[in-house]
Amino acid sequence: MATVSVSSVSKRFGRVQAVDGVSFDVDPGEIFGLLGPNGAGKTTTIRMMLDIFKPDSGSVAVFGGPWDDDKKRRLGYMPEERGLYKDQTLDQVLPYFAALKGLDEGEARRRLGPWLERFDLTEHRNKKVEQLSKGMQQKAQIIATLIHEPDLLVIDEPFSGLDPVNTRLVKEIIQEQADAGRTIVMSTHQMHQVEALCNRILLVNRGRQVLYGRVSEIKRGFAGNAVVVTAQGDLQGLPGVLEVRRQNGDWHLSLETGADPQDVLLALARREGVRIDRFEVAEPTLEDIFVAVVQEGTGEVVQLGREEEVEHA
């Protein structure tokens, strides 16, 4: 049984259709990525999933049915807009949030010590939240989300403000939670983290779902939509190319759906002042796919994964 089942939910605010018929399931032990550009409807979808907003139509089931107080205690939610009280110390605010989820003070403090130590916050426990760096506040927010050992984790931009060492630590913790059988819904703009962690993803754009399925199947379904070029000269404005970006000394080109890499190569060869040392059709990254789907904006669903079917928009 899916931990979360969202069925054809829609939400309108005045004249704005924020979400239009979005559906997805998330299973126990799964790390699920909910993705989309700014203003796409991700936050509204999350709020409907968590019963903060009521959908205009459609339904949400969590742990097999509607939300109730017991189920809400099994939830750990970290919104993008952080919610720690800034004028309180960590030693005050974190046990308080644990108490809201049903832990008594003694148990909350017993669990808090190891988390503070793991996040290197023990010596800062008596500081007010406002006195902490952004990265420290982020780590404290993660502790508040995890301390009651929830069965469902919904985390929005979990890597915000973290240095590479703490980013790796948070990735390890997310994977540990999944390995323990907990369900994780993650929203982030860091596509490489999604690629490293998520089993499946849903991409929403302009309120509608446009890509849904297993990461591995999605990448295979978009094979040929990315090119790596080692070259000198101007690579901007090529026909069939959506985005050109520099990475590790090479040029990474995201192609339009259906664009032929050979046509791109021919256009490069004909361009004055361009010298090509290497041209390689590569497996697209999720970032390449994200750019292709969002910029083309077809509005049609590409669904890959559970039925092992590939449908191109």
Side-chain angles (χ1 to χ4, degrees):
M1 180 181 68
T3 304
V4 175
S5 184
V6 175
S7 302
S8 301
V9 295
S10 297
K11 186 69 177 179
R12 176 182 290 274
F13 298 99
R15 297 181 179 180
V16 177
Q17 187 70 50
V19 177
D20 186 8
V22 169
S23 300
F24 60 93
D25 295 324
V26 191
D27 296 326
E30 181 174 21
I31 305 174
F32 184 86
L34 181 57
L35 314 175
N38 292 331
K42 301 187 303 298
T43 299
T44 301
T45 299
I46 289 173
R47 289 175 178 173
M48 286 190 289
M49 181 180 74
L50 297 180
D51 202 34
I52 299 170
F53 290 162
K54 298 293 185 183
D56 298 333
S57 60
S59 62
V60 176
V62 181
F63 302 116
W67 282 103
D68 57 33
D69 289 342
D70 288 337
K71 289 180 180 179
K72 288 180 180 179
R73 293 189 184 97
R74 299 171 64 187
L75 166 70
Y77 176 39
M78 188 176 76
E80 185 175 7
E81 303 84 8
R82 305 311 183 217
L84 298 180
Y85 299 115
K86 293 188 176 182
D87 61 347
Q88 301 291 309
T89 67
L90 290 184
D91 219 25
Q92 293 170 321
V93 72
L94 294 177
Y96 171 74
F97 274 91
L100 294 178
K101 294 296 185 176
L103 295 185
D104 61 45
E105 184 175 358
E107 179 63 14
R109 293 193 177 279
R110 185 188 69 79
R111 295 185 186 185
L112 178 58
W115 279 117
L116 291 174
E117 184 174 352
R118 188 168 187 185
F119 276 110
D120 199 23
L121 290 173
T122 301
E123 65 183 45
H124 303 285
R125 65 189 304 160
N126 292 316
K127 290 182 180 179
K128 293 182 179 181
V129 172
E130 64 188 2
Q131 296 174 320
L132 302 175
S133 68
K134 183 178 179 180
M136 289 180 181
Q137 291 184 32
Q138 178 77 349
K139 291 189 289 184
Q141 188 79 54
I142 292 170
I143 294 173
T145 306
L146 294 172
I147 192 170
H148 60 291
E149 300 178 358
D151 295 311
L152 170 61
L153 286 163
V154 180
I155 48 179
D156 200 345
E157 296 295 348
F159 309 106
S160 177
L162 298 180
D163 60 32
V165 172
N166 284 298
T167 294
R168 179 176 295 184
L169 174 59
V170 171
K171 287 173 64 177
E172 290 174 358
I173 289 170
I174 291 172
Q175 188 62 60
E176 288 171 5
Q177 298 296 308
D179 292 343
R182 298 185 174 102
T183 304
I184 300 164
V185 178
M186 180 175 74
S187 180
T188 180
H189 288 102
Q190 298 187 27
M191 293 295 109
H192 60 291
Q193 306 297 3
V194 174
E195 198 162 350
L197 286 167
C198 291
N199 310 101
R200 293 185 303 125
I201 63 168
L202 171 69
L203 173 61
V204 293
N205 187 35
R206 299 177 184 175
R208 300 184 64 193
Q209 63 185 73
V210 293
L211 191 63
Y212 178 44
R214 293 194 185 105
V215 171
S216 58
E217 290 294 324
I218 287 170
K219 291 177 70 173
R220 281 198 289 270
F222 279 82
N225 281 69
V227 168
V228 178
V229 181
T230 303
Q232 298 176 0
D234 181 15
L235 274 65
Q236 301 293 333
L238 292 166
V241 177
L242 291 169
E243 182 188 56
V244 178
R245 64 182 184 276
R246 196 71 183 267
Q247 184 176 325
N248 298 326
D250 293 325
W251 296 98
H252 290 247
L253 281 56
S254 299
L255 308 189
E256 297 175 356
T257 301
D260 189 338
Q262 295 302 316
D263 291 339
V264 176
L265 175 59
L266 183 60
L268 276 172
R270 289 173 172 172
R271 178 167 288 189
E272 291 186 10
V274 172
R275 172 175 173 168
I276 305 168
D277 296 315
R278 180 170 71 102
F279 184 94
E280 178 184 345
V281 178
E283 180 181 71
T285 65
L286 274 185
E287 184 172 346
D288 294 320
I289 296 168
F290 182 98
V291 168
V293 172
V294 170
Q295 288 195 6
E296 290 182 22
T298 62
E300 298 183 25
V301 178
V302 182
Q303 180 166 328
L304 305 98
R306 293 202 170 189
E307 298 82 10
E308 302 298 325
E309 294 179 354
V310 178
E311 300 178 11
H312 286 284

